[in-house]
Amino acid sequence: MKRVFGLYMLVLAVLMMHVLGCRGVSVKGEDGHYLWLYPQHAVPVKILCSGQTAILSIAKQELLQNWRGKENATVELLVGSDKLIKGDGYKFTATGIQANTEAGILYGVYELLRRQQTNQPIQNEICNPSYEIRILNHWDNPDGSIERGYAGHSIFWRKEQDSMDVTSEDSIRWKEYARANASVGINGTVLNNVNASPKILSRPYLDRVKAIADVLRPYGIKTFLSVKFSSPSMLGGLKTSDPLNPEVIQWWKEKVKEIYSIIPDFGGFLVKANSEGQPGPQDFGRTHADGANMLADALKPFGGIVMWRAFVYSSEDKDRARQAYAEFMPLDGQFRDNVIIQVKNGPIDFQPREPFSPLFGAMKKTSVMPELQITQEYLGHSVQLVFLAAMWEELLKSDTYQEGAGSTVAHCTDGSIFPQKYSAIAGVANIGLDANWCGHQFAQANWYAFGRLAWNNQLTSEKIADEWLRLTFSASVDSLKPEYRNNWQEHFLLPVKNMMLKSREAAVDYMMPLGLHHIFAANHHYGPGPWEAPKGVRPDWTPVYYHKADTFGVGFDRTRTGSNAVSQYHEPLASLFNNQATCPEIYLLWFHHVSWTYRMNSGRSLWDELCLHYDTGLKQVRDFQKTWDEVQPYVDEQRFLEVQSKLREQYHDAQIWKDACILYFQQFSRLPIPPDVEQPVNKLEELMKIKRNMTYHN
Ligand code: GCU
């Protein structure tokens, strides 16, 4: 038996050698679990640091385990006080790293190691964070499911959890999660869905929150919870949850006190109120300010904050894109200073492309924070390779003209234009129990990019992609055969980076170019559904409401003579957007209802241009497939095959998008598909049928 086994192993080894011999890479299959923190071949380093705290111990350990600088160099870690260092920022000095906080030292260590691994210079300089609070929002439910999650179940909550026991697997995962976040500067996390269950505030759940907080704390991460506004009645048994009712006020005060007695450094609450069926202060005739302030008052004595979401609907205004601004602007100046209004990047809902929300650069007396969506609800779930940093860079660099030119969204939210008590940025997480954390190897890049931009909102997506690729795939470089190692940059890094940087525009092109938005099939938000107009559903939940296609043209008229959403922007933007001739074409159908025969900048008709965009998007995915096939020798087998198969699926689904949209809109334009565009390969009737089954990604 033993000999048979030995023989079997020998054959297997020979086979493996044969397989690996055909490739440049000879590392074993890799599931992506290491993220961008691949174990390093470290060399010895001496560390001078007097502190012994948990954070500093981690900082020291990271240096010892990953140092790739000069052998036996001495690095000093100094917690001091330097006025030029802000918050958890740090300074590289001639002797090491200096910071005003211990977390600052940890971030400095991660940056130092990152620069070593990516061959970037380390010189005397100060690195301050753009935002004070850099926070993930998990849309995780207490039963372990994740709303809009595409990477398995929650890492925090479990369905079959009768007891709240913390297993060793739980602790290991939470620690790995904390380390990954700290390595990119993320310092806060909301552990549960904004569509919150009241039971999250019950004692068994709070005990589990404590267990999680204890693991995250040494990595500088604060824990927050989403709360349901009606918790006083649903959990506390009160007759009302009216924010001005004394018993309700008292209930929240006691609840907050209880939380802080369990988790003394608890961060605060995130609230979705009066939105998509969630309860809120308006149910009692009160305003968002009344609701937010009541919670803020309860949290204030403990240093907690309220992140109050501006993702609301209003029946007063017929244009969904205007509603958040319409509700919140009149309340500017009425919020307590520990309230931050959390605003989605665009006025509607995380679409592949939206102009920035006009609330950025509007409220001057209130802290406002951007909310980005890392999980790819509207950008291909964990099937499609879409690098979102390009989208976020576009947002952060958008000029609001609040205080004249240069008032970018980045500067309107990071406190550099007008003082905010708190500056913060949130990202809806794409993390689950999947071995590779995010469902798609390249979706990890979006988690990474969020952290990096939250730390430095001036970074380019090019730089972030470069860093991430070097960190995530360079471990395989060490094991490459020399002939491959020498041209890794040219043959792997550059083409793959290029693919990442083009991927978001490609997705816009094959899904909804030229300002089209929200033409997804209902619920799953994966495939196309421009034809959907179900009866009994609110109009602004149907694609036909958004594209308004007719025989004249297509697009939503938000001009001064239309819904007048343009007027929510400062000049010169309002006039620029208002005029069809000056409106940037990427937003054309967002702001205008445009004739099919309208001449675009290219000289083509709108119809021809639309067809061309769909076609270009699809062809780009074909190019991505070719790019990836060509880098096979540089990638370990497991990640290569996984990405290859997902790209195949992406191509298939992009073809569905293109065919569905061109054929559907053609019913209105009644114009031929231009000859330089590949003809659809599917039939509209067939596509309209299959979309109903496309719930498998959710
Ligand atoms: C989107 C998403 C919902 C989510 C909501 C929100 O509408 O589809 O699942 O709850 O955004 O941000 O609150």
Side-chain angles (χ1 to χ4, degrees):
M1 181 67 197
K2 235 184 186 169
R3 279 187 52 186
V4 174
F5 183 70
L7 198 66
Y8 170 78
M9 289 306 285
L10 189 73
V11 172
L12 197 72
V14 171
L15 266 175
M16 287 297 286
M17 274 162 67
H18 176 72
V19 170
L20 294 172
C22 307
R23 309 168 61 84
V25 176
S26 58
V27 288
K28 68 177 170 56
E30 147 73 87
D31 61 9
H33 192 71
Y34 287 129
L35 295 160
W36 48 88
L37 295 165
Y38 214 91
Q40 298 297 310
H41 301 293
V43 297
V45 60
K46 293 195 191 82
I47 302 167
L48 295 179
C49 174
S50 49
Q52 299 294 334
T53 60
I55 296 196
L56 290 176
S57 304
I58 290 173
K60 286 187 248 178
Q61 196 190 354
E62 291 286 5
L63 273 181
L64 289 173
Q65 286 175 355
N66 300 291
W67 178 257
R68 289 184 60 158
K70 223 171 96 218
E71 209 166 317
N72 291 318
T74 304
V75 179
E76 187 186 20
L77 304 179
L78 184 72
V79 184
S81 117
D82 183 325
K83 285 207 178 67
L84 295 176
I85 303 176
K86 306 267 177 260
D88 290 330
Y90 52 85
K91 180 158 109 178
F92 290 138
T93 64
T95 53
I97 302 170
Q98 189 184 328
N100 294 347
T101 64
E102 293 179 351
I105 295 287
L106 185 62
Y107 299 138
V109 164
Y110 282 123
E111 177 64 17
L112 186 74
L113 295 173
R114 180 162 40 240
R115 291 200 192 180
Q116 287 180 348
Q117 287 167 42
T118 55
N119 298 322
Q120 296 178 68
I122 301 159
Q123 57 228 1
N124 290 6
E125 66 186 283
I126 292 183
C127 302
N128 288 324
S130 298
Y131 297 96
E132 186 185 340
I133 300 167
R134 306 171 294 276
I135 190 167
L136 288 180
N137 289 185
H138 286 264
W139 286 359
D140 296 17
N141 298 312
D143 67 358
S145 63
I146 304 182
E147 182 151 347
R148 311 302 178 186
Y150 314 103
H153 278 83
S154 169
I155 62 169
F156 301 121
W157 314 105
R158 273 203 304 273
K159 190 178 191 163
E160 61 286 358
Q161 196 170 307
D162 297 320
S163 71
M164 289 283 171
D165 290 349
V166 174
T167 64
S168 59
E169 287 90 50
D170 285 337
S171 306
I172 291 169
R173 266 271 167 166
W174 298 341
K175 195 169 164 191
E176 291 170 338
Y177 162 86
R179 177 172 180 242
N181 280 327
S183 76
V184 289
I186 292 169
N187 66 353
T189 181
V190 182
L191 300 179
N192 65 313
N193 193 355
V194 286
N195 296 318
S197 161
K199 72 177 172 199
I200 203 75
L201 292 177
S202 65
R203 187 65 198 225
Y205 282 89
L206 291 179
D207 284 338
R208 192 167 171 88
V209 173
K210 174 194 159 38
I212 298 169
D214 288 345
V215 178
L216 306 191
R217 187 174 300 110
Y219 285 89
I221 299 171
K222 268 196 182 186
T223 302
F224 297 70
L225 289 175
S226 295
V227 295
K228 199 172 195 80
F229 199 76
S230 55
S231 297
S233 30
M234 293 181 77
L235 187 68
L238 301 191
K239 286 203 185 69
T240 177
S241 292
D242 179 350
L244 300 193
N245 177 294
E247 281 179 55
V248 171
I249 296 172
Q250 192 54 32
W251 187 88
W252 280 110
K253 278 191 173 155
E254 276 162 25
K255 185 47 82 183
V256 166
K257 208 167 142 197
E258 181 192 352
I259 297 174
Y260 279 89
S261 72
I262 307 169
I263 309 142
D265 58 350
F266 180 70
F269 295 147
L270 171 64
V271 192
K272 171 175 177 178
N274 292 119
S275 165
E276 300 186 333
Q278 291 300 325
Q282 292 176 341
D283 303 348
F284 310 96
R286 316 296 183 191
T287 67
H288 283 288
D290 293 330
N293 290 344
M294 180 271 295
L295 292 175
D297 288 343
L299 287 157
K300 182 89 180 179
F302 304 93
I305 61 163
V306 175
M307 291 164 289
W308 191 270
R309 295 177 88 226
F311 178 68
V312 295
Y313 293 75
S314 140
S315 44
E316 315 264 294
D317 204 309
K318 294 254 164 339
D319 180 1
R320 166 103 182 269
R322 286 172 45 95
Q323 293 168 2
Y325 182 101
E327 286 218 22
F328 279 84
M329 267 313 279
L331 300 174
D332 192 19
Q334 293 184 28
F335 292 97
R336 300 282 191 269
D337 67 2
N338 58 336
V339 174
I340 316 180
I341 303 302
Q342 183 168 313
V343 180
K344 286 189 183 183
N345 59 288
I348 293 184
D349 193 7
F350 298 136
Q351 296 302 292
R353 171 167 278 131
E354 299 189 33
F356 67 88
S357 162
L359 273 172
F360 297 121
M363 300 178 91
K364 295 190 179 179
K365 297 178 226 142
T366 310
S367 299
V368 171
M369 63 189 280
E371 177 181 315
L372 313 176
Q373 194 180 41
I374 311 172
T375 190
Q376 292 167 240
E377 173 181 358
Y378 294 103
L379 281 139
H381 297 187
S382 54
V383 174
Q384 303 184 15
L385 190 161
V386 184
F387 181 50
L388 300 176
M391 170 155 104
W392 301 333
E393 184 182 358
E394 180 176 296
L395 166 81
L396 292 164
K397 292 196 170 143
S398 294
D399 203 337
T400 70
Y401 292 90
Q402 186 199 28
E403 301 288 321
S407 313
T408 58
V409 171
H411 292 320
C412 288
T413 52
D414 67 10
S416 51
I417 289 195
F418 61 101
Q420 306 201 117
K421 168 87 182 189
Y422 291 99
S423 70
I425 187 165
V428 180
N430 61 350
I431 296 158
L433 275 177
D434 276 6
N436 69 20
W437 298 88
C438 303
H440 191 305
Q441 298 291 349
F442 278 78
Q444 298 179 353
N446 293 329
W447 177 7
Y448 181 85
F450 169 74
R452 297 291 287 129
L453 281 169
W455 183 273
N456 180 355
N457 63 15
Q458 300 302 306
L459 285 181
T460 62
S461 39
E462 194 272 335
K463 164 133 170 68
I464 298 171
D466 193 281
E467 269 182 18
W468 178 79
L469 281 168
R470 286 174 192 272
L471 296 168
T472 306
F473 287 98
S474 66
S476 359
V477 180
D478 291 342
S479 43
L480 280 178
K481 293 178 180 167
E483 66 266 32
Y484 288 102
R485 200 180 308 147
N486 297 339
N487 58 23
W488 184 81
Q489 290 210 23
E490 195 190 331
H491 289 228
F492 177 82
L493 183 69
L494 292 180
V496 178
K497 182 165 65 176
N498 203 15
M499 166 175 82
M500 289 172 76
L501 294 175
K502 286 185 173 160
S503 60
R504 184 275 183 137
E505 202 60 40
V508 170
D509 276 341
Y510 63 71
M511 288 185 188
M512 38 200 92
L514 298 174
L516 283 174
H517 50 287
H518 230 315
I519 56 174
F520 289 94
N523 304 325
H524 58 69
H525 296 163
Y526 182 82
W531 46 81
E532 287 193 0
K535 293 213 170 58
V537 170
R538 21 179 328 149
D540 55 3
W541 276 356
T542 65
V544 295
Y545 164 92
Y546 290 102
H547 64 66
K548 302 211 183 312
D550 55 24
T551 52
F552 170 81
V554 61
F556 199 121
D557 182 0
R558 298 195 165 102
T559 64
R560 293 191 179 118
T561 49
S563 80
N564 200 20
V566 292
S567 70
Q568 294 182 336
Y569 292 90
H570 296 288
E571 287 296 359
L573 283 185
S575 299
L576 191 93
F577 290 156
N578 187 59
N579 182 342
Q580 202 164 293
T582 57
C583 181
E585 288 188 346
I586 53 171
Y587 303 133
L588 189 63
L589 306 179
W590 182 282
F591 288 113
H592 296 270
H593 189 69
V594 182
S595 150
W596 294 112
T597 54
Y598 176 75
R599 286 280 133 223
M600 303 289 286
N601 292 336
S602 63
R604 284 186 210 95
S605 68
L606 168 66
W607 168 250
D608 284 3
E609 186 92 359
L610 193 69
C611 293
L612 197 67
H613 273 275
Y614 277 110
D615 199 44
T616 308
L618 177 64
K619 284 184 177 147
Q620 295 251 31
V621 184
R622 191 77 195 91
D623 285 345
F624 299 163
Q625 287 185 283
K626 281 190 213 143
T627 301
W628 190 250
D629 285 345
E630 278 167 19
V631 301
Q632 179 167 15
Y634 300 85
V635 191
D636 51 89
E637 191 163 27
Q638 185 170 349
R639 286 190 292 182
F640 175 77
L641 291 176
E642 258 181 59
V643 173
Q644 187 188 47
S645 122
K646 295 224 171 193
L647 279 170
R648 203 179 302 129
E649 204 175 340
Q650 182 170 355
Y651 183 72
H652 173 264
D653 296 342
Q655 176 90 57
I656 290 178
W657 265 101
K658 171 193 156 182
D659 292 0
C661 293
I662 290 187
L663 292 171
Y664 170 76
F665 289 126
Q666 193 179 32
Q667 301 175 103
F668 300 93
S669 79
R670 296 171 300 183
L671 291 167
I673 296 168
D676 51 349
V677 164
E678 276 177 23
Q679 296 295 307
V681 298
N682 296 291
K683 294 216 171 349
L684 184 59
E685 312 79 73
E686 300 298 318
L687 295 170
M688 288 174 70
K689 269 186 249 156
I690 64 159
K691 62 100 194 159
R692 301 234 172 261
N693 301 325
M694 287 182 75
T695 47
Y696 53 86
H697 299 304
N698 205 341

